[in-house]
Amino acid sequence: MKKPRLVLFLFTLFAILFHISAQDRPNIVFILSDDAGYADFGFQGSKEFKTPELDKLAKNSVRFTQAYVSAAVCGPSRAGLLTGKYQQKFGFEENNVPGLMSKSGLAGDDMGLPLDQKTVADYLKEQGYKTALFGKWHQGNADRFHPTKRGFDEFYGFRGGARSYMPYGSENKLTRQEDKLERGFGNFQEHEGYLTDELADEAIAFMERNKNNPFFVYLAFNAVHTPMEATSEDLGKVNGLTGKRKTLAAMAIAMDRACGKVLNRIEELGLDKNTLIVFTNDNGGPSDANESLNDPLSGTKANHLEGGIRVPFLMSWPGKLKSNTIYDDPISTLDLLPTFVTAAGGNVATIEDLDGVDLVPYLQGKNNGKPHEILYWKKENRGAIRFNDWKLVRFPDRPAELYNIKEDVSEVNDLASKHPEKVRELYQKLFDWELTLERPLWQLERRFEGLAAKRMDTYRKHK
């Protein structure tokens, strides 16, 4: 064979093998809702909220009954899932960016996901994936923290933590620059219509453009976070509810519809058999702000009772994971990065300080252990640790409390006085973990700790 023909043959063979390899790697679609209540989905038992599209996904998924986030508020929770590490390790403690900060530490545009931390999008790009973020970023407003500089090829959304669902203009005034809708880097232009629908349409367009390449979609809805805004059409679909609860139900209808559009388009494109899909929420519902329900859990967003840190979680991967099944052992959103990167063909053993694990071997029965024997949470003086079925919650204004989560998911029976030895054991484990962490790079004004305690006490369950 002549040399030019040999070169052409080898090039063609390489292209074929690369194409086959690319087809073997799943597309990855990660859908994240914002501030939804634990009980506010049909697949979670709600009789009030209509979520037929997500209920359908649940029937085709593994549903996790003990899925946790690494923080009880939006920004830090996202920092954890993006890096696969406890965000306290790099100083991103449970305080959002930006906010009403104390005078010590970073503030304003200096706050953001530290630049020495790689994201799941960085790792997936290394595996040849096209990557895109649609929706809420909340990892720093400054240009240097921008999603397109943190592994995402495409971005359509906003840099901040919340914004109006309606386009800004003469009647809907923009008050914060980070709320501007942005396409790519620096191209600010408001949408038309309702933002939840727009984000789904943008995600679909990206999938259509990249249907022949492995892709990663991070669809980060701001729904159902405040402001409480729904369309009149969706409000008209809600019966028997009033006030914020009615608006929340209408916002959930819109988000469910948007999820359905994305999921249906995956099937229409013929990609459903090779797409790994995850749906979850970023923290517990803030019941005082949006009237979300976290039943049967105590607590809300911003505290370490189960209602602040346990979230709905679905994972679908046809041919790899058995559909319509339940997984009961504790997992964490820290597990998303190693699960996704491993599925993409990457080697997570090379990533230093990773706290998450690849969930697939546990779900396939290849690993009969538990993904996590121990999980941690921390915000300044407050903290929590779950060790098997025991959970210790540490407070700045009262003695620590101890619960057996398996027997008491609502955390109404404090066992600290009955098991002082277990309190000491878990307190020490929590402290030993804290000794490995970085000091917080920024902190909220102290008065917010008092507000967090009041919110927690208001939404506790009782015997």
Side-chain angles (χ1 to χ4, degrees), residues 17 36-37 46 65 88-90 145 154 161 163 178 203 210 246 304 358 387 407 410 423-424 427 450 454 460:
L17 292 174
S46 179
T65 61
Q88 296 94 338
K89 282 185 173 181
F90 46 85
F145 299 122
E154 297 188 24
R163 60 151 283 156
E178 61 266 28
N210 293 281
K246 179 174 182 176
H304 295 141
D358 175 18
F387 181 59
E407 299 175 357
S410 299
V423 171
R424 287 193 294 269
Y427 214 108
K454 290 180 180 179
R460 274 182 180 265

Side-chain angles (χ1 to χ4, degrees), residues 158-278:
F158 56 99
R159 302 187 191 189
R163 60 151 283 156
S164 176
Y165 294 81
M166 311 303 179
Y168 289 116
S170 59
E171 296 182 1
N172 191 19
K173 300 294 184 182
L174 177 70
T175 58
R176 302 183 305 178
Q177 293 301 305
E178 61 266 28
D179 296 347
K180 286 183 177 180
L181 198 62
E182 184 178 13
R183 185 184 297 279
F185 178 76
N187 181 16
F188 297 98
Q189 184 178 1
E190 283 301 300
H191 63 294
E192 297 179 2
Y194 191 68
L195 184 56
T196 303
D197 292 315
E198 295 288 329
L199 295 176
D201 290 342
E202 292 288 337
I204 289 170
F206 172 82
M207 294 190 301
E208 291 172 342
R209 292 194 302 272
N210 293 281
K211 62 183 179 180
N212 296 321
N213 307 300
F215 59 74
F216 170 54
V217 169
Y218 175 24
L219 180 51
F221 289 114
N222 51 320
V224 292
H225 196 292
T226 54
M228 306 300 293
E229 297 174 347
T231 65
S232 57
E233 292 82 3
D234 288 332
L235 286 167
K237 300 172 184 176
V238 180
N239 299 313
L241 299 175
T242 60
K244 288 183 179 180
R245 186 79 181 149
K246 179 174 182 176
T247 305
L248 184 70
M251 295 167 73
I253 286 173
M255 183 180 68
D256 183 74
R257 176 178 63 243
C259 290
K261 289 167 65 176
V262 171
L263 299 174
N264 291 335
R265 192 59 180 144
I266 291 171
E267 185 173 353
E268 291 165 359
L269 291 170
L271 303 175
D272 52 311
K273 297 297 189 292
N274 195 33
T275 299
L276 169 58
I277 301 169
V278 170

Side-chain angles (χ1 to χ4, degrees), residues 4-32:
R5 291 183 179 180
L6 177 61
V7 171
L8 179 61
F9 171 77
L10 292 174
F11 178 81
T12 303
L13 179 62
F14 175 79
I16 292 172
L17 292 174
F18 180 82
H19 181 67
I20 293 172
S21 175
Q23 287 181 323
D24 288 341
R25 290 175 291 167
N27 303 305
I28 301 171
V29 176
F30 171 42
I31 305 174
L32 186 68

